[in-house]
């Protein structure tokens, strides 16, 4: 019911609009020793950018730390004696820095910068185009730097987008939209998106999302194609229509049957048949929802994936 009521949509970027499998593109620019430190820090985090560093950066000598901690939305921090290492958002990791992007710092000084590339999730462009026609507002909210956000926003046709956001900033934006009369649908995947998923009127997450993201979402779509979002909305709208039809059928049926029964014209056999008939009638009407998925599969090109996506609510 809440999904059918959604009037605006908010999307996370990394792992939602993109596949969440970023590649480290400037590996050759980073000194090996600093790469060792970055990979050791990144291995303690499940953030997609951290995983890109941990998986692609070859480490010859393991770096060790006295303690390691993660600040969601900011990055990783570790200590080795008097040295404080930070890997994450530049504005947090570096002292008095106004830079953006992902950096490695040593006692507040930037010693390495990291750049990444990610692939757009299949079905993202068509999904955004469809939602822009249906809904009042469609936005992208991301904690990533401005250049990466601008690239994705332009490629997918977003008119409204924001970058360098903390988890609390995403929640604030959703609450602001709610106060302005928007019933917000949030689509996100990461650890940092869980508060926003909980704050939205209704929420969805891909199966690749972090555990906390999947648990916070109302729906989880199991395949990688983002068209599952519009499919879920279509199913929700169609289901609501069928529910109202069944209520109408039940009311009309009883308006006719009850007076006849009160007048004594209904035998036990007729009553049994009538009750079974009413159940068959509303169930048959409800089963029309299944024809929606069958029609979409038949109309889809043979080389394309089915338009319907499995959902878990």
């Amino acid at each position: 019911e809440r999904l059918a009521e959604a009037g605006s949509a908010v999307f996370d970027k990394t792992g939602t609009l993109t596949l969440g499998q970023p590649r480290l593109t400037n590996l050759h620019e980073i000194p090996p020793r600093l790469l060792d430190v970055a990979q050791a820090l990144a291995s303690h985090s499940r953030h997609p950018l951290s995983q890109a560093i941990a998986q692609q950066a070859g480490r010859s000598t393991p770096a060790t730390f006295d303690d390691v901690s993660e600040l969601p939305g900011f990055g990783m921090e570790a200590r080795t004696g008097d040295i404080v290492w930070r890997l994450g958002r530049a504005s947090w990791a570096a002292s008095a820095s106004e830079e953006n992007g992902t950096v490695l710092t040593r006692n507040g000084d930037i010693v390495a910068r990291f750049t990444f590339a990610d692939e757009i999730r299949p079905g993202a462009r068509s999904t955004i185009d469809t939602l822009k026609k249906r809904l009042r507002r469609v936005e992208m909210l991301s904690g990533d730097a401005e250049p990466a956000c601008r690239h994705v926003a332009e490629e997918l046709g977003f008119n409204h987008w924001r970058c360098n956001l903390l988890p609390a900033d995403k929640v604030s934006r959703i609450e602001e939209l709610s106060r302005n009369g928007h019933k917000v649908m949030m689509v996100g995947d990461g650890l940092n998106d869980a508060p926003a998923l909980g704050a939205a009127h209704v929420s969805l997450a891909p199966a690749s999302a972090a555990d906390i993201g999947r648990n916070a979402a109302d729906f989880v779509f199991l395949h990688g194609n983002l068209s599952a979002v519009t499919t879920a909305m279509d199913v929700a709208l169609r289901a609501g229509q069928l529910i109202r039809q069944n209520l109408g059928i039940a009311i009309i049926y009883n308006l006719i049957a009850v007076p006849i029964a009160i007048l004594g014209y209904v035998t036990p056999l007729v009553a049994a048949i009538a009750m079974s008939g009413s159940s068959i009638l509303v169930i048959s009407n409800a089963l029309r929802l299944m024809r929606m998925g069958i029609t979409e599969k038949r109309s889809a090109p043979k080389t394309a994936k089915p338009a319907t996506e499995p959902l878990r609510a």
Side-chain angles (χ1 to χ4, degrees):
E1 290 176 355
R2 295 199 306 275
L3 184 58
E5 295 171 348
S8 299
V10 169
F11 287 83
D12 171 52
K13 184 180 77 67
T14 304
T16 305
L17 295 171
T18 66
L19 291 176
Q21 300 171 353
R23 305 183 313 277
L24 186 61
T25 58
N26 66 329
L27 189 64
H28 61 283
E29 299 176 359
I30 304 168
R33 177 54 187 163
L34 296 178
L35 203 56
D36 295 342
V37 174
Q39 189 191 30
L41 272 170
S43 64
H44 292 276
S45 173
R46 292 191 59 188
H47 190 280
L49 298 185
S50 293
Q51 290 297 301
I53 296 173
Q55 294 172 5
Q56 297 187 29
R59 185 175 70 189
S60 56
T61 305
T64 57
F65 309 106
D66 296 334
D67 63 88
V68 181
S69 60
E70 181 173 11
L71 283 73
F74 293 96
M76 305 295 302
E77 180 178 281
R79 295 178 180 273
T80 304
D82 296 332
I83 301 175
V84 177
W85 295 98
R86 283 183 173 181
L87 175 67
R89 187 187 295 266
S91 58
W92 164 76
S95 301
S97 174
E98 297 183 358
E99 294 191 39
N100 294 318
T102 302
V103 301
L104 175 69
T105 65
R106 185 179 187 272
N107 291 337
D109 297 324
I110 297 177
V111 293
R113 292 177 173 82
F114 302 86
T115 58
F116 304 90
D118 201 354
E119 184 178 348
I120 297 296
R121 184 180 289 274
R125 181 58 191 255
S126 60
T127 298
I128 300 305
D129 288 344
T130 300
L131 293 179
K132 285 168 66 177
K133 297 175 183 177
R134 292 185 183 183
L135 306 180
R136 295 171 58 187
R137 193 176 185 91
V138 180
E139 293 189 6
M140 181 182 75
L141 304 180
S142 177
D144 291 349
E146 191 269 346
C149 292
R150 180 178 297 279
H151 172 74
V152 172
E154 291 177 350
E155 185 166 348
L156 297 181
F158 277 96
N159 298 322
H160 309 283
W161 56 277
R162 301 187 181 191
C163 59
N164 296 312
L165 298 181
L166 299 174
D169 297 329
K170 295 183 181 181
V171 173
S172 297
R173 178 54 183 162
I174 291 174
E175 292 176 344
E176 180 184 354
L177 289 170
S178 299
R179 288 193 298 269
N180 292 331
H182 296 258
K183 291 185 176 180
V184 180
M185 173 181 69
M186 170 69 185
V187 187
D189 81 307
L191 176 68
N192 300 339
D193 296 321
L197 291 168
H201 185 68
V202 64
S203 55
L204 299 92
S208 57
D211 291 342
I212 190 171
R214 292 198 302 271
N215 290 333
D218 298 306
F219 293 91
V220 174
F221 53 94
L222 304 182
H223 287 180
N225 199 305
L226 201 63
S227 63
V229 174
T230 50
T231 298
M233 295 185 70
D234 291 339
V235 170
L237 290 169
R238 183 63 173 152
Q241 292 172 355
L242 292 177
I243 288 171
R244 289 188 291 272
Q245 289 175 11
N246 280 345
L247 288 173
I249 291 171
I251 292 172
I252 294 172
Y253 190 93
N254 283 282
L255 286 175
I256 297 172
V258 170
I260 297 174
I262 292 175
L263 294 173
Y265 294 117
V266 178
T267 65
L269 177 61
V270 172
I273 294 173
M275 287 296 294
S276 299
S278 66
S279 298
I280 292 172
L281 183 62
V282 295
I283 290 173
S284 298
N285 188 50
L287 287 174
R288 290 167 58 205
L289 185 64
M290 299 296 294
R291 293 170 59 185
M292 175 181 163
I294 294 172
T295 301
E296 289 184 356
K297 286 183 179 180
R298 287 177 177 173
S299 62
K302 292 184 178 180
T303 57
K305 293 183 179 179
T308 52
E309 297 286 346
L311 293 167
R312 177 181 67 79

